[in-house]
Amino acid sequence: MTENRTLHIADLAHRVSRVRWEAPGDVREVVLHALGIGRPTTADFDGKRHLIVSPFLSDDGIARLAPARSTKVHVVSRAESLDRLRPETLKRIVPYVLDDAARDTAEVDGDPLEGLHAKTFVLDRRDGSHVFIGSANATNAAFTQNVEFMIELIGPLPRIGVEAVFGEKSALFQLVVPYPATGGVEHSDDDKADHALESAIRSLATSRLRNTVVACDESNFDILVESLDSTHPPADLQIYVRLLTRPGNSHPLPVVTGESVRFEAMPLTDVTPFLVIRVVDTRGEERSTVVRVELVGDLPGRRDAVLARQIDTPEKFLRFLMLLLAQDSDDGALFTAGGGGSFGDWGADGVGLFEALVRSVGARNSGLDDLGHLIERLQADAAATVLPAGFDELWASVWSAHLTLQGARL
């Protein structure tokens, strides 16, 4: 990554580390767990009783999440995942699946619930109950290979413990039925093919590629996508690449060093460092991923043009403005709910907007420079009606003050 991007990420991490998280009712502590990229597992799953809710399972995953000292382990999963567990694992758990009748009638905001997607681990200890919610499945790969994130909630057993969450009178328990799994079922041919497809797309996502911009005229550009090293994907796969900004135009992915494909006659806003790699197997099944590659010959003003195309209403402009100014705010004041300068108070009188801009000038906010480039492009488009009424006059005063302070500091 560029030094500037690295600094932005470090700054974001620093500000997030100072956030005070508001705990839900009955929760006395909130702990965040980031897994993957060489990080050791920071979560402790030791306990006397466990509830595991996960669509995907593995024997070693359950052993990790429910150590041997646990007296009872309830597991809610999919039938096919339970069937693949070893019989020895099934002897120490109580397996459940979603009740078909409950699944057919359950809805959230009018949308029917289909299948199990939740990943939640609840365990009881002497110090209370620990509830883990996040992206990790109950598999060893989730804790040793993948990039995952979990939130740990700590609170009293009677309120968020295993019995409270999964007791016979709980809402969750009404949605499941016991499942008589015997285990030992081998993966089907489709399962193996799906795994091969996933492995292929993961491997191709690490390919070194480069996008080179070639100017055709003032308004049209080509992008040359070139492979910087050779890969060796399975011969029975079809592999394609396209620009993220051009959904309907793809080419075979170059997999040999120096090999390239060309995407032609694109406007400035379609020039991008992002590529979509798509893999199709002999069954017609496919997987895809987005990768960011080196962009050679980037064009001045491209990012401003892309932003201007996306910010097409005054409401979107105001939201973007406040987010941009907040990126250099040390105290996060621009995100404060309620009071002058908040998201809810930039309304018709413009008081909140004025306060945010003035505060940024006084704080030497570098976001003003980025905002200036965007506003200049929006003002240059005579047909655009994106800037709120009266904003031109306000911005002229703010920008003048910003330039004056910059000159005084030089």
Side-chain angles (χ1 to χ4, degrees):
M1 295 186 295
T2 64
E3 181 180 0
N4 185 56
R5 184 173 178 83
T6 300
L7 290 173
H8 273 295
I9 292 174
D11 177 64
L12 174 62
H14 173 67
R15 286 186 283 119
V16 169
S17 71
R18 297 162 58 190
V19 171
R20 294 182 180 179
W21 300 99
E22 181 179 351
D26 301 318
V27 172
R28 66 174 182 267
E29 186 178 355
V30 176
V31 184
L32 309 181
H33 300 277
L35 310 176
I37 317 182
R39 297 187 183 94
T41 300
T42 56
D44 180 6
F45 298 108
D46 191 29
K48 58 182 180 180
R49 292 204 305 175
H50 289 74
L51 167 65
I52 296 173
V53 181
S54 175
F56 299 103
L57 307 170
S58 69
D59 298 284
D60 47 10
I62 291 180
R64 175 186 290 271
L65 292 167
R69 67 187 296 267
S70 179
T71 58
K72 182 173 288 189
V73 182
H74 299 284
V75 177
V76 180
S77 187
R78 299 175 178 177
E80 55 269 28
S81 295
L82 292 165
D83 286 337
R84 294 190 187 112
L85 295 176
R86 293 197 299 262
E88 309 88 83
T89 300
L90 288 169
K91 288 180 181 178
R92 59 182 302 261
I93 71 173
V94 183
Y96 299 86
V97 295
L98 291 180
D99 185 347
D100 288 337
R103 182 175 56 195
D104 291 341
T105 58
E107 294 186 353
V108 173
D109 296 331
D111 293 327
L113 299 178
E114 297 182 2
L116 178 67
H117 299 277
K119 295 96 172 175
T120 303
F121 316 129
V122 184
L123 59 95
D124 294 341
R125 293 210 294 254
R126 289 183 178 180
D127 66 342
S129 181
H130 298 247
V131 180
F132 295 84
I133 302 171
S135 62
N137 279 287
T139 64
N140 200 49
F143 295 91
T144 60
Q145 301 175 24
N146 302 349
V147 176
E148 312 283 1
F149 196 86
M150 295 189 301
I151 298 175
E152 178 183 3
L153 308 177
I154 305 172
L157 294 177
R159 303 299 297 173
I160 64 171
V162 173
E163 182 65 24
V165 175
F166 200 65
E168 293 185 0
K169 296 182 179 180
S170 69
L172 177 58
F173 192 80
Q174 309 308 311
L175 296 177
V176 302
V177 293
Y179 182 72
T182 56
V185 174
E186 296 292 334
H187 289 276
S188 67
D189 290 341
D190 278 344
D191 291 332
K192 295 175 181 177
D194 287 342
H195 180 72
L197 204 54
E198 294 283 354
S199 298
I201 196 68
R202 284 172 181 260
S203 176
L204 290 167
T206 65
S207 303
R208 293 198 307 133
L209 301 168
R210 178 169 60 203
N211 287 3
T212 300
V213 182
V214 180
C216 302
D217 53 46
E218 291 185 356
S219 58
N220 289 286
F221 306 88
D222 291 356
I223 285 188
L224 198 67
V225 180
E226 179 184 8
S227 176
L228 301 181
D229 52 23
S230 295
T231 57
H232 304 282
D236 58 346
L237 297 179
Q238 295 176 297
I239 308 168
Y240 304 95
V241 64
R242 67 171 176 84
L243 302 176
L244 184 62
T245 52
R246 285 292 184 97
N249 187 6
S250 63
H251 293 289
L253 176 73
V255 294
V256 177
T257 302
E259 187 179 46
S260 63
V261 293
R262 183 182 289 262
F263 294 87
E264 300 178 333
M266 290 175 297
L268 177 63
T269 51
D270 281 356
V271 173
T272 177
F274 293 99
L275 298 174
V276 178
I277 299 176
R278 181 168 62 96
V279 180
V280 184
D281 66 12
T282 55
R283 303 171 300 162
E285 293 291 325
E286 63 180 64
R287 298 290 187 276
S288 62
T289 188
V290 179
V291 297
R292 186 180 188 278
V293 304
E294 178 187 4
L295 183 62
V296 177
D298 198 3
L299 302 158
R302 178 181 65 84
R303 292 178 177 84
D304 295 331
V306 172
L307 281 173
R309 183 175 67 173
Q310 298 298 322
I311 301 173
D312 54 5
T313 67
E315 292 76 19
K316 289 182 180 179
F317 171 77
L318 287 172
R319 289 191 179 93
F320 178 77
L321 181 152
M322 299 297 274
L323 287 169
L324 189 61
L325 298 184
Q327 73 174 354
D328 284 344
S329 175
D330 289 334
D331 58 4
L334 297 181
F335 289 113
T336 304
S342 70
F343 276 86
D345 292 326
W346 62 33
D349 60 4
V351 173
L353 178 60
F354 176 76
E355 288 183 356
L357 287 167
V358 170
R359 185 186 294 121
S360 295
V361 171
R364 306 181 185 183
N365 193 318
S366 62
L368 281 178
D369 294 315
D370 296 328
L371 184 61
H373 296 310
L374 174 63
I375 292 174
E376 183 179 352
R377 177 170 287 276
L378 292 173
Q379 289 174 330
D381 185 355
T385 57
V386 174
L387 298 177
F391 181 82
D392 285 327
E393 293 81 1
L394 173 61
W395 175 250
S397 299
V398 170
W399 189 246
S400 176
H402 177 62
L403 294 178
T404 299
L405 286 174
Q406 276 191 329
R409 292 168 188 146
L410 294 178

